[in-house]
Amino acid sequence: MLKKRKAEYWLMQQRLLPHANRYTQQLFTVKASSATEDQDIDHAFHNLGILYKRQGKMAEAEKMYQRALEGYEKAWGPEHTSTLDTVNNLGNLYKNQGKMAEAEKMYQRALNRYEKI
C-alpha cells in the first residue's frame, strides 16, 4: 500500500510541475514590478480590514480600509472594482458603528461609480 501511495504522489508531482514552473516565473515577474507589489500590499491591507472588522476592532479596520483605498485609487483609479469594494466595505463599517452620514457617503460613492461603469 505504501508503495502505491508513493507512486501516486510522484505522479501527482509530475502533473503539477509545469504549473509550478509557470507560477514561479510569474512570481519573478511580479516581484520585478513595484506597481504590482504595491497592489499586492493594498490587497493585504483590504484583507486586514476585513479581519479587524470581524474581530470587532473597528478603528484598526478603518485604517486598513483607508490605506487600501488610497492605494487602489492611485493604482487602478476610482472606478475599479477593488476600489469600489473597499468603498463599500467602509460603508458597512461605518453603518455598523452607527456613523450613518459617513456610511451613506460611502454607499453613494460606490453606487454612483458602479452605475457609471
Side-chain angles (χ1 to χ4, degrees), residues 2-18:
L2 184 59
K3 204 176 214 182
K4 183 179 177 184
R5 284 186 188 165
K6 284 185 178 182
E8 289 172 355
Y9 187 69
W10 182 86
L11 183 60
M12 182 180 66
Q13 286 178 328
Q14 287 296 304
R15 290 179 183 155
L16 292 175
L17 192 58

Side-chain angles (χ1 to χ4, degrees), residues 74-115:
K74 182 179 177 185
W76 292 328
E79 295 174 358
H80 190 275
T81 55
S82 293
T83 305
L84 296 176
D85 288 346
T86 304
V87 170
N88 189 68
N89 282 355
L90 268 168
N92 291 337
L93 180 75
Y94 293 143
K95 179 186 68 124
N96 292 344
Q97 292 177 305
K99 298 177 180 179
M100 297 307 175
E102 291 92 337
E104 182 179 5
K105 181 180 173 185
M106 292 293 114
Y107 288 145
Q108 255 335 116
R109 179 177 169 185
L111 179 62
N112 290 340
R113 300 287 168 119
Y114 274 124
E115 287 176 339

